[in-house]
């Protein structure tokens, strides 16, 4: 479970950096870490099927600060380890073709976490690697 532990550390560090940056960027307008006001209504997670993305998904679903999690993926997600049925009910999992992303209301989110990426070995070529790690990420941001 070394990979899971490493991914969990990376996710916790990433989320800490994001929350710290968001708190500094938005100040009082974006109310993190303040009693009842800490709830982030919607978190959009890109790359939820990968090692880091799975950890982000699990932590978002189990967090009391998150009301809704949207995780667009190429294939339907199963049950996320470490979650209850009530926590899984927060998940919206649209199945998408990243080459032809649909316009949809679920793209609107309070927080976006991107773990979308691949390895050169999985991609098979430099062009395919670039397509996933660059083009798909950019397309989602638009």
């Amino acid at each position: 479970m070394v990979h899971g532990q490493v991914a969990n550390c990376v996710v916790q560090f990433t989320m800490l950096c994001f929350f710290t940056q968001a708190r500094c960027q938005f100040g009082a307008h974006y109310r993190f870490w303040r009693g009842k006001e800490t709830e982030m209504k919607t978190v959009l997670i890109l790359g939820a099927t990968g090692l880091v993305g799975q950890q982000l998904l699990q932590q978002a679903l189990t967090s009391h600060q998150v009301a809704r999690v949207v995780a667009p993926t190429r294939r339907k997600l199963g049950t996320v380890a470490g979650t209850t049925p009530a926590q899984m009910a927060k998940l919206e999992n649209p199945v998408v073709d990243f080459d032809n992303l649909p316009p949809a209301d679920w793209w609107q989110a309070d927080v976006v976490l991107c773990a979308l990426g691949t390895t050169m070995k999985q991609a098979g070529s430099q062009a395919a690697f670039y397509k996933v790690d660059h083009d798909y990420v950019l397309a989602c941001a638009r």
Side-chain angles (χ1 to χ4, degrees):
M1 189 71 179
V2 172
H3 291 295
Q5 291 170 339
V6 170
N8 191 29
C9 290
V10 169
V11 169
Q12 288 178 0
F13 177 74
T14 302
M15 292 180 83
L16 175 63
C17 290
F18 172 78
F19 291 137
T20 303
Q21 180 182 12
R23 188 172 182 199
C24 293
Q25 242 177 1
F26 302 114
H29 300 292
Y30 222 84
R31 297 174 253 174
F32 287 111
W33 312 114
R34 289 189 184 168
K36 292 181 195 175
E37 301 173 322
T38 59
E39 183 178 285
M40 293 173 285
K41 292 177 177 45
T42 302
V43 174
L44 174 67
I45 300 176
L46 302 171
T49 59
L51 182 65
V52 173
Q54 288 176 22
Q55 292 293 317
L56 285 171
L57 182 60
Q58 190 266 342
Q59 288 189 25
L61 288 172
T62 58
S63 173
H64 67 279
Q65 296 177 311
V66 177
R68 179 172 165 243
V69 178
V70 179
T73 56
R74 290 179 294 144
R75 61 188 182 282
K76 194 77 177 154
L77 291 169
T79 302
V80 178
T83 61
T84 66
Q87 292 166 334
M88 283 299 295
K90 298 192 298 187
L91 178 62
E92 184 176 342
N93 178 219
V95 176
V96 299
D97 173 6
F98 282 93
D99 287 315
N100 190 20
L101 291 170
D105 290 339
W106 50 257
W107 287 109
Q108 300 299 313
D110 299 305
V111 176
V112 177
L113 301 172
C114 183
L116 189 59
T118 189
T119 63
M120 184 65 75
K121 183 177 180 178
Q122 286 180 321
S125 71
Q126 187 78 15
F129 176 81
Y130 186 83
K131 183 178 188 178
V132 173
D133 280 40
H134 176 270
D135 295 346
Y136 287 172
V137 173
L138 192 58
C140 290
R142 291 185 176 139

